[in-house]
Amino acid sequence: MHASADTLCRAPLAAVHWSEGAPEAPATPMLERHIDADVVIVGAGFSGLTAALALAEAGRDVVVLDAAEPGFAASGRNAAHVAPMFWGMKKTPAQMLARFGPELGGRMNRMAALSGASLFDLIDRHAIACDARRGGYACVARTPASLAKLLAGLEAWRPYGGRFEPVSRHDLDRHVASPRYAGGVILTDGGSVNPLALSRGLARAAIAAGACIHGVSPAISVSRDGGLWTMRTPQGSVRSRVLLVCAGAY
């Protein structure tokens, strides 16, 4: 079942666990007029806000639209793990190269492998208060066979900057309480954050860089004419040369 935009706007953020440790959300007034921009971004979560911040710092005129407020949905409700590198059988470095080609696939692999360090550097650069913890991220394996498979999969990320440290069964007790694992791996650049606080901090940094973020402004329709996109909300619209859709995980 999918929640409507109206339901999302009315749902209380107080129900989100992470709100207790997060600063107040920055002001993101509803869009109530018609404006032009270089880029319009739909979704004020991690993807949309990171893109908005980078584009605003590069001098672009950026507008972000969200059905509720920054971090309201998946970005503010997740498990807070920072675990760099792609996961899953269909997201190996070789498969990314095969699908997207050596240039784009290689860039995506490097971005994923370095994402943990890049995230914490971004948090430091903008002094985002989000309980960031850099201590590494532990991945455990139940059997020697699954441990060997885990190590082989991670080894493919080394050429792209992926960093990890194998941990024996004996040494794993420094990280995990259970003695039942065969061993594991520490992702050196991993850790944890308060995800809602991170979302709100990214929004505040993007606004400070010049981006405009409009909350309670769900995107309800889009059209394209003469090379320009027009994204409409209930009370306004944005016309832009570039459209980024960074929504839907919730």
Side-chain angles (χ1 to χ4, degrees), residues 189-202:
D189 296 322
S192 64
V193 295
N194 177 318
L196 181 59
L198 174 59
S199 300
R200 292 176 173 179
L202 288 170

Side-chain angles (χ1 to χ4, degrees), residues 20-165:
E20 295 182 5
E24 290 297 318
T28 53
M30 179 189 299
L31 179 63
E32 298 182 288
R33 58 194 179 98
H34 303 282
I35 57 178
D36 292 334
D38 294 328
V39 183
V40 59
I41 299 173
V42 179
F46 292 153
S47 299
L49 293 171
T50 302
L53 175 56
L55 288 163
E57 290 183 325
R60 301 295 190 270
D61 185 10
V62 183
V63 173
V64 182
L65 304 174
D66 196 89
E69 64 180 53
F72 172 83
S75 291
R77 299 168 186 261
N78 63 77
H81 301 167
V82 178
M85 292 176 276
F86 289 128
W87 296 96
M89 295 301 293
K90 296 183 179 180
K91 295 181 180 178
T92 67
Q95 288 166 326
M96 298 300 289
L97 294 177
R99 181 171 181 181
F100 297 104
E103 181 178 355
L104 180 57
R107 287 170 55 194
M108 294 175 72
N109 286 340
R110 285 189 292 275
M111 179 187 70
L114 301 174
S115 60
S118 298
L119 173 61
F120 287 119
D121 289 346
L122 184 68
I123 290 169
D124 290 344
R125 180 156 61 90
H126 292 281
I128 298 175
C130 59
D131 194 23
R133 303 182 184 185
R134 292 179 180 257
Y137 185 88
C139 302
V140 296
R142 289 178 293 176
T143 67
S146 61
L147 177 59
K149 185 176 180 180
L150 174 63
L151 289 169
L154 289 175
E155 195 65 43
W157 290 99
R158 284 198 191 274
Y160 301 99
R163 300 200 304 160
F164 61 94
E165 301 174 2

Side-chain angles (χ1 to χ4, degrees), residues 166-177:
V167 182
S168 68
R169 179 195 296 269
H170 173 74
D171 292 333
L172 194 61
D173 61 8
R174 293 182 297 159
H175 307 279
V176 180

